[in-house]
């Protein structure tokens, strides 16, 4: 993987910060940061996760950072493609260090050994039908071995027993992100979609889910709609679900 050209060229690093995503949003509202600007911190003490959850990260042990991108080539209704490209990039970044298979659990949890090793929180700023800027928030568990809040976590260190130099692996992360972001820009969108499906956790496997009405049901993931809704075959019928409408039972 070649060196990144624009991701990480400008970085704002802080010893402590509430949330790198919040700082990135503030930076965008007050100034004109260049594409690829990274905001990172050693100690993110109010990290935000998906659907209003908190992101646990022990100080100095993990990667907690946000990258500012300007994917003006995407329409607002193509937001999920950005999620897919970023998920693929993180999958390959982790695979470069981890011998076990890395899966993407829909919509964008990164899993090793059935446990979560990384999370992605993307916030898009829209103008009309265009995406004008995106904040790619990434939390990747590297050297942390003990977790108190996170459900079902793992880390690079838990997987391998080794210690990792964060500044070293950050560069590899930026290179993977840049590669897949440029692929998204230049390749047919169908390639990103099929790449994503090929790494999808429990794709075409019998799986138990729970829906919004707390109904448990067994089904098998068969694909995605363009908007990112998950298609599941259950009892011979195809049903589709948005992000807050379904959870995996395990
Ligand atoms: C998830 O719940 O899976 C998403 C977690 C995203 C965490 C990262 S850490 C850096 C960035 N800043 C935040 O406040 N959250 C994201």
């Amino acid at each position: 993987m070649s060196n990144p050209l624009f991701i990480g060229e400008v970085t704002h690093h802080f010893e402590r910060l509430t949330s790198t995503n919040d700082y990135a949003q503030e930076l965008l509202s007050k100034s004109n940061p260049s594409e690829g600007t990274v905001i990172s911190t050693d100690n993110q003490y109010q990290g935000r996760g998906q659907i209003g959850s908190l992101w646990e990260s022990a100080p100095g042990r993990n990667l907690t950072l946000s990258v500012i991108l300007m994917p003006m080539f995407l329409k607002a209704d193509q937001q999920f493609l950005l999620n897919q490209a970023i998920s693929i990039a993180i999958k390959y970044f982790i695979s470069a260090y981890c011998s076990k298979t890395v899966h993407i659990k829909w919509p964008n949890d990164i899993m090793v050994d059935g446990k979560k090793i990384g999370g992605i929180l993307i916030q898009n700023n829209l103008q009309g039908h265009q995406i004008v800027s995106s904040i790619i928030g990434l939390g990747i568990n590297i050297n942390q071995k003990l977790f108190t809040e996170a459900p079902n976590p793992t880390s690079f260190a838990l997987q391998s027993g080794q210690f990792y130099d964060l500044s070293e692996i950050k560069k590899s992360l930026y290179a993977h992100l840049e590669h897949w972001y440029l692929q998204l820009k230049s390749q047919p969108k169908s390639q990103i979609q099929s790449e994503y499906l090929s790494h999808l956790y429990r794709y075409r496997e019998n799986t138990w889910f729970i829906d919004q009405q707390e109904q448990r049901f067994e089904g098998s993931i068969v694909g995605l709609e363009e908007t990112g809704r998950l298609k599941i075959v259950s009892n011979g019928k195809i049903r589709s679900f948005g992000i807050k409408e379904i959870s995996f039972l395990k």
Side-chain angles (χ1 to χ4, degrees), residues 18-22 44 46-51 53-55 63-66 108-109 116 118-121 136-140:
T18 49
S19 153
T20 56
N21 268 37
D22 290 354
Q44 178 174 256
Q46 265 170 44
R48 298 200 287 111
Q50 287 161 22
I51 326 179
S53 62
L54 286 177
W55 182 254
L63 292 181
T64 46
L65 56 89
S66 302
N108 49 18
D109 287 350
K116 185 160 166 174
I120 303 170
L121 182 66
I136 314 295
L138 304 172
I140 304 171

Side-chain angles (χ1 to χ4, degrees), residues 58-198:
R61 299 201 179 240
N62 304 311
L63 292 181
T64 46
L65 56 89
S66 302
V67 183
I68 296 177
L69 294 176
M70 275 112 187
M72 286 184 246
F73 55 92
L74 290 179
K75 298 250 180 321
D77 61 5
Q78 294 180 307
Q79 293 182 46
F80 194 68
L81 274 168
L82 183 61
N83 272 263
Q84 287 176 297
I86 301 297
S87 304
I88 297 165
I90 306 301
K91 179 247 138 35
Y92 278 111
F93 159 66
I94 295 173
S95 288
Y97 295 89
C98 195
S99 55
K100 292 197 189 131
T101 310
V102 182
H103 282 114
I104 303 166
K105 186 174 176 184
W106 179 86
N108 49 18
D109 287 350
I110 311 297
M111 311 292 288
V112 174
D113 219 9
K115 300 188 182 80
K116 185 160 166 174
I117 198 162
I120 303 170
L121 182 66
I122 299 184
Q123 292 174 266
N124 294 317
N125 295 309
L126 309 178
Q127 239 166 49
H129 295 295
Q130 291 306 127
I131 306 181
V132 289
S133 61
S134 298
I135 297 165
I136 314 295
L138 304 172
I140 304 171
N141 299 332
I142 311 287
N143 291 318
Q144 187 167 348
K145 287 188 169 171
L146 287 174
F147 292 82
T148 52
E149 311 279 324
N152 198 25
T154 190
S155 65
F156 280 36
L158 282 173
Q159 288 298 319
S160 68
Q162 288 178 32
F163 174 85
Y164 297 83
D165 178 339
L166 293 181
S167 57
E168 190 100 331
I169 64 171
K170 230 185 228 181
K171 286 187 212 133
S172 157
L173 171 66
Y174 298 161
H176 282 89
L177 283 171
E178 192 166 302
H179 173 82
W180 283 100
Y181 182 60
L182 295 178
Q183 290 288 111
L184 173 66
K185 211 168 183 170
S186 61
Q187 296 298 310
K189 308 297 176 246
S190 57
Q191 277 192 16
I192 298 289
Q193 287 157 339
S194 58
E195 179 77 39
Y196 177 91
L197 280 185
S198 72

